[in-house]
């Protein structure tokens, strides 16, 4: 998924219905969508966002700070 993909504007968190942020693929870390409000990360598998509530995983405080850094432009 690319940062300028129009699909990103309409994707929403299945829990709070708010916007999600793309976490680009980096060394050792796969591409994902992140909801910083709930601190939940949703994987993107083969280019398809997995947006079922059960697909999201809660992240720790330390990981949350790291993900906020990845989101920064």
């Amino acid at each position: 998924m690319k940062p300028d993909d129009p699909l990103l504007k309409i994707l929403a968190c299945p829990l709070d219905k708010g916007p999600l942020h793309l976490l680009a693929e980096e060394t050792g870390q796969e591409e994902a969508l992140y909801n910083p409000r709930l601190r939940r990360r949703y994987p993107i598998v083969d280019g398809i966002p997995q947006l079922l509530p059960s697909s999201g995983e809660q992240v720790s405080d330390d990981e949350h700070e790291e993900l906020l850094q990845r989101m920064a432009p």
Side-chain angles (χ1 to χ4, degrees), residues 10-23:
I10 61 171
L11 289 177
C13 175
L15 298 175
D16 74 356
K17 311 300 186 234
L20 296 167
H21 300 275
L22 179 64
L23 299 171

Side-chain angles (χ1 to χ4, degrees), residues 12-15 20 30-35 39-45 48-59:
C13 175
L15 298 175
L20 296 167
E30 53 189 37
E31 192 175 37
L33 294 169
Y34 186 58
N35 178 342
R39 297 183 180 197
R40 291 187 67 82
R41 177 179 47 217
Y42 297 93
I44 298 175
V45 179
I48 301 169
Q50 308 298 306
L51 293 177
L52 292 174
S54 61
S55 297
E57 72 174 344
Q58 196 73 33
V59 301

